[in-house]
Amino acid sequence: MPNITNDYYDVIVIGTGPAGFASAVRSAQLGLKTACINTRHDANNKDTHLNTGDIATMALLDSAKKYHSLIYDCAQHGIFANEIKLDMSIMLQRKDNILAEIGDKMVELFNTHKIGHIHAKARLLNPQQVEITADDTGIKTVINAKYIILATGSEAITLPNIQIDNEYIFDAKAALNIDKVPNKLAIIGAGVMGLELANIWSRLGASTILLEAQENFLSVLDQQISGAAFSLFQNQGLDLRLGARVLSAKKGNKNIAIEYQDQDGTHTLKVDTVIVACGSRPNTANLAAPEANLLLDQDGYVYVDDNCRTNLPGVYAVGDLTLLGPMLAHKGIEEGIFVADFIAGINNPINYEIVPSVIYTEPEIAWVGQTEQALRASGEEIKIAIHPIKKNIRALAMDKQEGLVKIIAHAHSDKILGVHIIGTQASELIAEAVLALEFSASSEDLARTIHARPTLSEAVHDAALILKDRVFQQSEY
Ligand code: NAD
């Protein structure tokens, strides 16, 4: 039987990923007595904020881009480097140092806000009680709270006939710790994660094959952007095989044999390293005791209403645990803050229609609002402008001319309905579009907004100018 303590909190947050972390800090800022429970900490007992892997991906992608650029791009700048060497241990250490620094900052923030930080495995017992099993002693205790926020995130899906050993066959998280560049790498799944990992490892020199079950590449994207992305990635040397459903991967003496099926039949592919990046599922196994009666759907997502309320009074769920909005760190953070405010009596609803998405490849892909295909399917009358990045003079100076900006506006009201970008720094460019949609801007508003020259942002401006039929596009002159 667990000990029942007198510890009583206003808010207990389970999970310190981006959503849980934001929720805990905001709750404490609002004067609520808050505790945050998380079982993860590394060998040095450091806290890690990092169950999304997004920061680790950024760190490695940046290293990979530098390496690739030294080999392939620098000569045309008149810069020559002899004997370019790659030391994976230094590269991985740099990434880990960044993660550790963020972990330290997290602890600092928790301390500043007097948030109780409990290293334990948590299990919801009922709407006001959580059982915790301490990481170090294994002792079970029950703690009490008025409100409980579930924020345990998601974990990678595995495939039935593939044994992950994280030595030759890696899951997407462990793929950020591979300490030797593979010669021939297969990535199963060409979704967001698969593509970001492909961009890292192919830039570091791995011959990379992506096996994707769907016939359509990046089917959630605007199809013009996904078509452009497909061509660009192929030109970069990625071997993208669509309609290729992987059935199994078996480790032999010399290599790994992957069996996959496409419209021509069953094939065997031999590689030295495999990464499985086939999607994520919510971390809800053992999150709640059966008698708690927390309502989940058939895929394990926590049922919530539009205000992140579960079926249990005073229990909320945020981030990847629910189907409310996409599985994105920034969506989780917004929800974490929203719920803390909501508990404190402040109602700042989230606009799920205007959540930006980014794929951190090179070039990057970023979008907000609706796609052309979705708008056409709903019979909306629209007008579209496409501005190729190659017309942007800053991109010319940077030698990053690939990609395009696409703006879709309502044919009559001129209201911007969607902005889709593939191009260098698209993740930064999309912020302007998000703001435009948030303020219900028209394309004319964007066209009349002065943009600094020469900048990449002129490409967004120029797309808006096209919609206004202005003959002259600023960045062309
Ligand atoms: P995903 O669903 O985007 O992609 C998984 C892909 O694997 C799908 O295209 C699917 O068709 C394919 N697949 C599944 N089984 C297969 C099989 N047997 N053979 C071949 N292909 C198969 O999932 P993900 O890329 O793993 O990402 C997980 C979640 O995390 C997503 O919701 C994603 O949006 C999010 N994420 C976001 C970012 C970002 O914001 N930059 C980065 C990483 C992950």
Side-chain angles (χ1 to χ4, degrees):
M1 280 290 287
N3 298 322
I4 300 187
T5 68
N6 290 326
D7 287 353
Y8 191 87
Y9 295 92
D10 295 316
V11 176
I12 288 177
V13 181
I14 305 180
T16 51
F21 178 68
S23 222
V25 172
R26 183 67 179 155
S27 299
Q29 283 173 341
L30 291 165
L32 300 165
K33 187 182 175 198
T34 306
C36 203
I37 310 169
N38 201 298
T39 184
R40 279 179 302 271
H41 46 101
D42 69 13
N44 303 318
N45 218 23
K46 292 239 176 193
D47 294 287
T48 50
H49 162 340
L50 308 158
N51 54 354
T52 60
D54 51 357
I55 295 148
T57 305
M58 289 303 92
L60 280 190
L61 196 54
D62 198 57
S63 299
K65 280 189 203 169
K66 283 191 165 63
Y67 176 70
H68 189 265
S69 171
L70 262 180
I71 297 175
Y72 296 101
D73 303 334
C74 281
Q76 61 181 314
H77 291 259
I79 301 168
F80 297 92
N82 295 327
E83 273 197 82
I84 298 162
K85 280 194 275 185
L86 189 60
D87 187 325
M88 281 308 300
S89 64
I90 296 177
M91 194 181 285
L92 295 178
Q93 189 56 56
R94 171 186 170 274
K95 180 230 347 147
D96 291 340
N97 291 345
I98 293 167
L99 302 188
E101 201 176 320
I102 295 167
D104 288 347
K105 288 198 168 107
M106 243 186 82
V107 173
E108 225 176 278
L109 264 172
F110 269 34
N111 291 341
T112 306
H113 292 289
K114 302 191 169 39
I115 297 167
H117 197 185
I118 303 167
H119 295 297
K121 172 108 183 101
R123 197 166 72 115
L124 182 75
L125 294 181
N126 59 52
Q128 298 205 314
Q129 286 192 313
V130 175
E131 177 195 79
I132 54 171
T133 309
D135 279 353
D136 46 3
T137 60
I139 294 173
K140 288 188 194 302
T141 319
V142 174
I143 54 173
N144 312 284
K146 195 166 179 196
Y147 300 99
I148 295 168
I149 303 173
L150 308 175
T152 47
S154 59
E155 62 177 358
I157 287 173
T158 48
L159 293 175
N161 294 323
I162 300 182
Q163 189 70 45
I164 305 271
D165 58 16
N166 287 333
E167 197 179 345
Y168 301 96
I169 304 178
F170 295 83
D171 62 29
K173 195 173 169 196
L176 295 167
N177 284 322
I178 299 175
D179 56 6
K180 180 172 167 280
V181 179
N183 284 322
K184 197 169 177 186
L185 166 69
I187 299 181
I188 306 173
V192 182
M193 192 82 91
L195 283 166
E196 291 181 352
L197 289 167
N199 260 260
I200 292 171
W201 290 109
S202 64
R203 279 194 152 65
L204 293 175
S207 157
T208 306
I209 303 146
L210 282 135
L211 299 164
E212 168 54 52
Q214 290 188 43
E215 293 287 350
N216 279 351
F217 181 58
L218 293 174
S219 56
V220 296
L221 267 66
D222 185 281
Q223 289 303 284
Q224 195 166 7
I225 301 290
S226 57
F230 187 80
S231 308
L232 281 170
F233 294 148
Q234 271 201 323
N235 289 342
Q236 289 175 1
L238 287 185
D239 181 347
L240 276 157
R241 304 187 192 177
L242 302 182
R245 176 169 294 281
V246 172
L247 307 172
S248 65
K250 298 237 159 19
K251 167 88 185 73
N253 282 341
K254 291 199 179 131
N255 48 37
I256 301 150
I258 299 176
E259 202 174 48
Y260 70 93
Q261 210 167 36
D262 63 15
Q263 58 181 6
D264 300 323
T266 304
H267 310 267
T268 302
L269 172 70
K270 294 194 171 165
V271 295
D272 57 87
T273 307
V274 175
I275 298 173
V276 181
C278 286
S280 296
R281 68 169 152 244
N283 267 326
T284 46
N286 303 319
L287 174 59
E291 57 276 17
N293 289 320
L294 178 71
L295 193 60
L296 307 181
D297 76 4
Q298 61 196 24
D299 298 317
Y301 288 93
V302 180
Y303 161 83
V304 283
D305 68 7
D306 290 347
N307 291 318
C308 301
R309 287 181 291 208
T310 69
N311 65 314
L312 304 177
V315 180
Y316 296 78
V318 293
D320 289 2
L321 277 184
T322 81
L323 284 173
L324 204 56
M327 275 189 175
L328 297 170
H330 45 276
K331 188 235 36 168
I333 290 170
E334 287 303 319
E335 285 180 341
I337 293 168
F338 163 78
V339 166
D341 282 351
F342 196 77
I343 287 170
I346 306 162
N347 191 3
N348 285 325
I350 296 170
N351 186 351
Y352 286 97
E353 303 292 311
I354 309 179
V355 179
S357 294
V358 178
I359 307 181
Y360 294 95
T361 46
E362 181 60 39
E364 291 176 342
I365 303 170
W367 68 98
V368 62
Q370 300 189 67
T371 61
E372 180 183 346
Q373 65 266 22
L375 288 163
R376 293 211 186 281
S378 61
E380 207 73 68
E381 289 185 67
I382 53 175
K383 53 184 178 177
I384 294 174
I386 291 153
H387 183 75
I389 305 274
K390 68 170 183 263
K391 290 189 171 183
N392 178 278
I393 54 169
R394 179 66 181 274
L396 172 68
M398 294 165 74
D399 195 23
K400 297 277 184 195
Q401 291 182 281
E402 298 162 319
L404 60 98
V405 176
K406 177 172 183 172
I407 300 183
I408 311 172
H410 194 275
H412 307 301
S413 71
D414 193 34
K415 184 180 173 193
I416 300 172
L417 302 174
V419 178
H420 306 269
I421 305 173
I422 176 165
T424 197
Q425 295 180 31
S427 59
E428 302 294 340
L429 297 180
I430 204 66
E432 173 179 27
V434 179
L435 196 64
L437 265 76
E438 186 62 40
F439 280 77
S440 299
S442 63
S443 78
E444 178 162 0
D445 290 327
L446 202 48
R448 284 172 178 267
T449 304
I450 300 170
H451 288 65
R453 174 186 172 87
T455 59
L456 295 171
S457 68
E458 284 180 289
V460 179
H461 189 211
D462 281 344
L465 286 170
I466 294 171
L467 279 180
K468 289 315 301 162
D469 288 321
R470 297 253 291 256
V471 270
F472 163 117
Q473 284 170 47
Q474 191 181 344
S475 67
E476 284 190 69
Y477 298 88

